[in-house]
Amino acid sequence: MVGAVLVKEGRVVGEGFHPRAGAPHAEIYALQQAGEAARGATLYVTLEPCCHYGRTPPCTQALIAAGVAEVHIAMLDPNPRVAGKGRAELEAAGIRTVVGECEEEARALNEVFAHWITTGRPFVIAKFAMSLDGKIATRTGDARWISGPEARRLVHEVRDQVDAILVGAGTVIADNPQLTTRLEKEDVRHPLRVVLDSRGRIPLTARVFDPALPGRTLVATTEAAPPDYRKALNERGIETLVLPPDERGRVDLEALLDELGQREVTSLLVEGGGTVLGSFFDRRLVNKVLAFVAPLIIGGHDAPQPVGGEGVERLADAPRLERVNWQRVGNDVLVTGYLRAEENHV
């Protein structure tokens, strides 16, 4: 997520942003817009200019050739191929650099990229909606709808931004979701649908397996899923990814994250259910939490909760969020926070 602005004699002469992988970087668009006015100008950019050949040529050489006099960099690029080398190349060419202005905002803007490029795994966002007394459904399984329409729309806006969305077999069997992005706009993004089904329990008639759905579906499973079941999914155009099981016979989540990271899936929205979310929290694989709290009381000893799993034995061991924010979304409250780095295994 990179933006660049060229300024000369107190006037903006060029602007640009990086629209997608493989397209020119923000600096190049700003230089093209500025033309000859770039000579002697000052560049403000959210991320350190690249200095290597990847999908595009290095931005540092373009800035040097254009005669830019000064570059203000909000944050250095965490990519090991850059990581200060771009700044050093600019300095060696006589271009003054300033690093750190609006760094906190830039790091928040690029939290997904920074995590993926340094760990090789997607940035994991755990999302759930619960009642005021911590329930995600009634004791009979009725869960529609706990959160209001404004909160549900916000969830679709998040889906529109992530690379993949994940649920477990239990959620598909109980709710039969489509896991698509439903927004009234053009160019809606439908993230890769990742379904955990270690034993092949989901009916082949589930809506998530409908070939007519936009986007792609990936079923992460184990050798415990019958070969005929996997073949039937493949014939429907559904990819099956056979991964090693964990100690409980479920899909090994670390292996899954490694595989998704290799496929350049940089962000993963985990929507549940409680068993899946519990497994991610138990293994400290969550980076960010989006918790919607609705003003209703469900009650019931047997009503399900948002996070299952083994949990912790002591409160001192409970994962604690930092950088916590609250916002009202319709009649609901959205609590957003991050798992502390020392408590996260990725």
Side-chain angles (χ1 to χ4, degrees), residues 76-207:
L76 296 179
D77 193 336
N79 186 340
R81 299 181 68 183
V82 186
K85 300 182 184 71
R87 180 194 187 189
E89 189 170 311
L90 294 174
E91 290 274 4
I95 298 176
R96 179 175 179 265
T97 64
V98 178
V99 176
E101 296 167 337
C102 299
E103 182 174 5
E104 184 177 345
E105 293 91 336
R107 289 195 178 280
L109 187 67
N110 285 293
E111 61 188 12
V112 168
F113 169 73
H115 178 81
W116 173 74
I117 201 67
T118 55
T119 68
R121 291 178 174 179
F123 183 86
V124 176
I125 306 167
K127 168 263 168 185
F128 53 87
M130 66 180 185
S131 63
L132 202 57
D133 57 336
K135 309 294 184 180
I136 60 172
T138 68
R139 56 184 172 79
T140 63
D142 183 16
R144 295 195 177 189
W145 294 98
I146 287 180
S147 56
E150 296 88 352
R152 296 198 297 274
R153 176 180 172 80
L154 182 56
V155 170
H156 283 277
E157 292 175 357
V158 174
R159 288 185 183 182
D160 192 46
Q161 298 170 6
V162 298
D163 290 339
I165 177 174
L166 181 147
V167 298
T171 295
V172 175
I173 293 170
D175 299 337
N176 197 20
Q178 293 184 18
L179 300 181
T180 55
T181 303
R182 296 182 290 282
L183 294 172
E184 295 178 359
K185 69 167 194 170
E186 296 181 359
D187 299 325
V188 171
R189 184 179 190 179
H190 298 282
L192 172 68
R193 295 178 289 271
V194 181
V195 179
L196 300 180
D197 189 2
S198 58
R199 301 193 303 277
R201 297 189 295 127
I202 300 174
L204 296 174
T205 55
R207 292 199 295 178

Side-chain angles (χ1 to χ4, degrees), residues 261-302:
Q262 291 174 12
R263 298 183 180 206
E264 297 191 354
V265 173
T266 64
S267 53
L268 176 66
L269 178 64
V270 180
E271 291 204 11
T275 298
V276 170
L277 282 167
S279 296
F280 271 89
F281 279 107
D282 283 344
R283 288 164 175 76
R284 300 296 196 268
L285 298 176
V286 175
N287 301 105
K288 185 176 184 178
V289 174
L290 300 178
F292 293 89
V293 183
L296 71 161
I297 307 296
I298 293 177
H301 291 294
D302 298 326

Side-chain angles (χ1 to χ4, degrees), residues 1-6 12 14-34 43-47 56 59 109-110 187:
M1 303 290 287
V2 185
V5 177
L6 275 166
V12 173
E15 296 177 320
F17 70 94
H18 186 212
R20 64 186 181 279
H25 290 183
E27 300 94 319
I28 304 304
Y29 284 115
L31 289 173
Q32 290 173 349
Q33 188 179 106
L43 175 73
Y44 296 87
V45 63
T46 54
L47 187 69
T56 60
C59 292
L109 187 67
N110 285 293
D187 299 325

